[in-house]
Amino acid sequence: IANDSMLTIEKQRELFTKDRREHVRCKIKPLLRFVRRNPSFVICQDRSYLSLAAYQAEGFSTKELRLLIRSQSFAPRADVFLLLDVPVRVAISRLKRSARGHGGFDRHGILDAARRRYRQIARLHGKSVKIINGEGGAAEVHAKILRTLGLNNVRRETANG
């Protein structure tokens, strides 16, 4: 969609939910079947249904956020969510350097509101959401993730070996 600002919040939510349903059906469920047969593998996903609540729930109360999260029940619940939390200035800097681009999410207000909602969602989910300080270089953040997951002794594999 070239200009999603023309879409209502309800239409954006509907399209996002349709996209997530398709993603669950075509990607997540087949991967879960694979992981069940191969327990040494894990699924690491960079977005989840929580993104809808973080980016589309402006002005929602805690009760409304809970309802929105429950409305995404078609998605298998993750064992753990890792929230890489960074100040907005860091997020904007990274988005500007990213090969994927920023997709219009480089405005301070949007990112600040999303960050506050992600943190609120983390409180609602309790122990299944781990907030990790995402500041620092890739190796440093990777080490923080491994520590959080209790995997301190895991060696990082790269495409080059």
Side-chain angles (χ1 to χ4, degrees):
I1 297 174
N3 186 356
D4 65 343
S5 64
M6 296 171 50
L7 296 174
T8 65
I9 294 294
E10 292 78 21
K11 188 64 174 176
Q12 289 178 45
R13 222 176 268 141
E14 175 190 332
L15 291 173
F16 181 88
T17 299
K18 283 182 180 179
D19 176 71
R20 293 295 84 198
R21 283 183 186 277
E22 171 123 350
H23 185 75
V24 166
R25 184 177 57 78
C26 295
K27 302 282 186 182
I28 302 299
K29 287 187 176 180
L31 284 171
L32 285 172
R33 287 190 293 274
F34 174 82
V35 169
R36 285 186 190 107
R37 292 189 309 271
N38 301 278
S40 62
F41 285 86
V42 297
I43 298 173
C44 184
Q45 181 176 328
D46 71 345
R47 293 281 189 276
S48 76
Y49 62 88
L50 297 181
S51 298
L52 173 65
Y55 283 98
Q56 302 291 329
E58 189 170 346
F60 274 33
S61 68
T62 299
K63 180 181 177 183
E64 290 167 320
L65 270 177
R66 277 192 183 107
L67 287 171
L68 182 60
I69 291 166
R70 265 190 247 131
S71 76
Q72 303 297 307
S73 62
F74 61 85
R77 180 141 179 162
D79 294 328
V80 64
F81 291 98
L82 301 176
L83 174 57
L84 301 180
D85 186 42
V86 296
V88 173
R89 65 175 166 68
V90 172
I92 289 173
S93 172
R94 288 180 180 174
L95 286 167
K96 287 181 179 176
R97 291 191 320 255
S98 171
R100 288 180 11 186
H102 54 75
F105 289 110
D106 62 344
R107 293 191 303 270
H108 188 278
I110 291 172
L111 292 174
D112 185 54
R115 182 183 188 208
R116 282 186 277 112
R117 282 191 294 274
Y118 266 123
R119 293 173 70 87
Q120 182 180 10
I121 291 163
R123 287 189 299 277
L124 293 173
H125 269 269
K127 294 179 181 179
S128 68
V129 178
K130 309 292 184 196
I131 299 176
I132 298 170
N133 180 344
E135 291 188 88
E140 182 183 347
V141 174
H142 181 256
K144 291 175 188 178
I145 291 168
L146 293 178
R147 275 193 306 274
T148 300
L149 296 174
L151 302 171
N152 302 3
N153 298 324
V154 173
R155 189 170 66 88
R156 183 177 181 188
E157 296 289 333
T158 64
N160 297 328

